[in-house]
Amino acid sequence: MNQMVKTRLWDKQHTRRQEKLNLAKEKGFAKQVEHTRVIELLETVISSSDRVCLEGNNQKQADFLSKSLSQCNPEVIHDLHIVQSVLALPSHIDVFEKGIASKVDFSFAGPQSLRLAQLVQQQKISIGSIHTYLELYGRYFIDLTPNVCLITAHAADREGNLYTGANTEDTPAIIEATAFKSGIVIVQVNEIVDKLPRVDVPADWVDFYIESPK
């Protein structure tokens, strides 16, 4: 009796990543992206139902990228699974109100706790788990690995190497977890310089970097 033999694909994550990068290249995106095109970039490389990490803690926030994500078209991007340590900015909640994201894993909500609770009551958001910092960052490498991470750093050089400044606690871990599992790394920086004081994250781990307009 003939039997259908299924071929297992072992490079689905890599193939998916490459398809996204090829599409971005077709649209004229280079590694350095103008801030005026950031929404277009996000709508190109983020797919609906992707797991997306927004970097943020008590010291720094990827605020420009977070606000840009909240301004994306929910008909293009929807049902994202957000994984981040703190829900601190209005834009962190806006993505759920607009239907861009539907699920979240996080550590604490801080000033956005009331809006978060209201959205839970309205069934506009599903909470995976509320984690300790150590648990959340550990699971970035296991079962909560981002498909795309939106990161902040102090500066980048022309090749895309990153200098994180005084605060380095979160950035390398998030980027490493994402980049080493065929995810896409997008970084906002305060400035682009010719020479960095030191390299905290190598350019090989960075797909796109953008100088924030503020």
Side-chain angles (χ1 to χ4, degrees):
M1 183 174 62
N2 292 331
Q3 294 182 341
M4 296 291 292
V5 178
K6 292 184 178 180
T7 302
R8 182 182 293 272
L9 300 177
W10 297 100
D11 62 347
K12 288 189 292 184
Q13 293 174 337
H14 173 77
T15 299
R16 188 182 184 204
R17 163 187 158 81
Q18 199 57 52
E19 288 173 348
K20 291 181 176 184
L21 294 178
N22 289 343
L23 183 57
K25 186 176 181 180
E26 290 173 8
K27 292 186 177 183
F29 287 107
K31 193 162 190 168
Q32 182 179 343
V33 178
E34 291 295 326
H35 73 268
T36 54
R37 298 192 67 193
V38 65
I39 294 176
E40 182 186 359
L41 174 67
L42 296 179
E43 291 181 347
T44 299
V45 300
I46 297 177
S47 301
S48 295
S49 301
D50 269 353
R51 189 180 297 119
V52 176
C53 178
L54 284 162
E55 184 185 14
N57 54 41
N58 293 330
Q59 289 77 37
K60 61 180 180 177
Q61 297 284 343
D63 55 348
F64 173 63
L65 289 175
S66 175
K67 185 174 182 180
S68 299
L69 181 63
S70 73
Q71 294 173 340
C72 288
N73 185 347
E75 294 184 0
V76 177
I77 303 174
H78 54 83
D79 293 312
L80 297 181
H81 179 185
I82 301 295
V83 289
Q84 64 187 92
S85 55
V86 55
L87 300 168
L89 304 178
S91 57
H92 292 162
I93 303 298
D94 291 344
V95 293
F96 297 100
E97 288 186 338
K98 295 179 178 180
I100 296 168
S102 59
K103 183 178 180 180
V104 64
D105 278 79
F106 70 108
S107 293
F108 69 98
Q112 301 304 322
S113 56
L114 176 59
R115 290 181 67 194
L116 175 64
Q118 291 171 337
L119 287 175
V120 172
Q121 289 180 334
Q122 297 166 13
Q123 297 184 337
K124 290 186 177 180
I125 183 172
S126 169
I127 295 179
S129 292
I130 302 175
H131 309 263
T132 65
Y133 258 45
L134 288 178
E135 178 192 10
L136 183 62
Y137 278 82
R139 290 182 64 178
Y140 283 161
F141 290 88
I142 304 171
D143 62 331
L144 292 179
T145 308
N147 301 114
V148 179
C149 67
L150 307 179
I151 299 296
T152 181
H154 180 76
D157 64 16
R158 306 295 171 181
E159 295 179 356
N161 297 297
L162 302 181
Y163 168 60
T164 59
N167 187 330
T168 64
E169 61 179 325
D170 296 346
T171 313
I174 300 172
I175 291 180
E176 183 176 347
T178 305
F180 281 30
K181 205 171 181 182
S182 298
I184 291 177
V185 177
I186 304 174
V187 185
Q188 71 171 67
V189 298
N190 295 334
E191 59 181 344
I192 297 171
V193 298
D194 293 323
K195 184 175 177 58
L196 298 173
R198 68 172 185 263
V199 174
D200 295 312
V201 176
D204 288 351
W205 295 6
V206 177
D207 295 296
F208 303 99
Y209 64 96
I210 302 140
E211 186 173 8
S212 175
K214 67 170 185 175

